[in-house]
Amino acid sequence: MEIKLTVNYTDDEYLCAVREKVDQMPNIKVHTYIPFMMLVLVVCLLNYFVLLDSWWGISLSLILALYAIPSLFGRYLAPYIGLFFARKQKLQETYSFLISSEKIYRSSQQGVIEVLWSDIKSIDVTTKNYFFNVSNGSMLLPKSRFSNEQLQWLNEMILAYNKPLKQDK
């Protein structure tokens, strides 16, 4: 069986894919909340010891805030920042995929990518997307573009090549 797809990603598909990829990042909660908690703790301690008004107290608070505040909101802003840049090129293109039992073939205006199943590092399966991770990035395929039969065949191909399958929690 071969699957032929032509995909022109929508804004919603791209946002959903980036959100799902960000949520799969290891220790995302640690990198999101700990810097902000450190900022609050340091500012409270500096205020308690009446050092917040000194030049180094203000400098320390500002440096921590420059890291902590974007970390806190970065998880939510990253998809929109990515969408802003993707609209200029990635979302303007049409991608053609051919998935066979030997390889995945993708062509677009940027060129052709041909990946053997054995060259795929891992596959992330989320609720709405497949991410085929190769050495230089990921190929995204929305599940909504497949029929039930195609989804079943694709899952069998993934298991046949013993690829690490990371399911959504």
Side-chain angles (χ1 to χ4, degrees):
M1 178 178 193
E2 285 187 342
I3 300 174
K4 291 182 181 180
L5 287 175
T6 300
V7 179
N8 193 354
Y9 297 107
T10 64
D11 287 359
D12 290 336
E13 285 176 332
Y14 191 81
L15 278 173
C16 178
V18 174
R19 282 187 190 120
E20 288 179 336
K21 199 67 170 172
V22 166
D23 285 341
Q24 286 186 341
M25 292 172 64
N27 305 318
I28 186 70
K29 289 186 169 92
V30 170
H31 297 292
T32 302
Y33 299 115
I34 293 220
F36 188 72
M37 288 189 288
M38 292 292 293
L39 172 66
V40 170
L41 178 68
V42 167
V43 167
C44 287
L45 286 173
L46 288 173
N47 191 40
Y48 179 78
F49 291 109
V50 192
L51 299 171
L52 189 58
D53 293 335
S54 66
W55 69 268
W56 64 270
I58 293 170
S59 299
L60 181 62
S61 301
L62 183 63
I63 290 169
L64 278 173
L66 288 173
Y67 175 69
I69 293 173
S71 294
L72 183 63
F73 296 112
R75 180 178 186 182
Y76 307 104
L77 293 176
Y80 294 102
I81 293 168
L83 178 63
F84 174 76
F85 290 104
R87 277 186 182 149
K88 292 184 178 186
Q89 186 174 16
K90 191 176 277 189
L91 295 180
Q92 302 298 323
E93 292 191 35
T94 300
Y95 295 89
S96 297
F97 289 92
L98 175 64
I99 304 170
S100 68
S101 57
E102 294 89 30
K103 63 185 174 186
I104 299 175
Y105 176 87
R106 184 189 86 178
S107 64
S108 68
Q109 295 168 341
Q110 293 179 6
V112 174
I113 297 176
E114 195 171 320
V115 180
L116 297 174
W117 280 95
S118 58
D119 293 338
I120 296 174
K121 304 295 181 203
S122 68
I123 300 168
D124 298 335
V125 179
T126 61
T127 54
K128 296 184 179 181
N129 296 296
Y130 285 106
F131 294 94
F132 293 93
N133 302 313
V134 293
S135 59
N136 59 347
S138 293
M139 283 193 287
L140 164 69
L141 287 169
K143 285 183 178 179
S144 61
R145 305 292 177 106
F146 294 101
S147 68
N148 287 336
E149 182 182 291
Q150 290 172 332
L151 283 172
Q152 183 178 358
W153 180 81
L154 193 55
N155 287 330
E156 289 170 5
M157 289 303 301
I158 292 168
L159 293 174
Y161 279 92
N162 295 323
K163 291 297 165 191
L165 191 62
K166 300 176 190 171
Q167 293 280 346
D168 221 9
K169 296 172 187 140

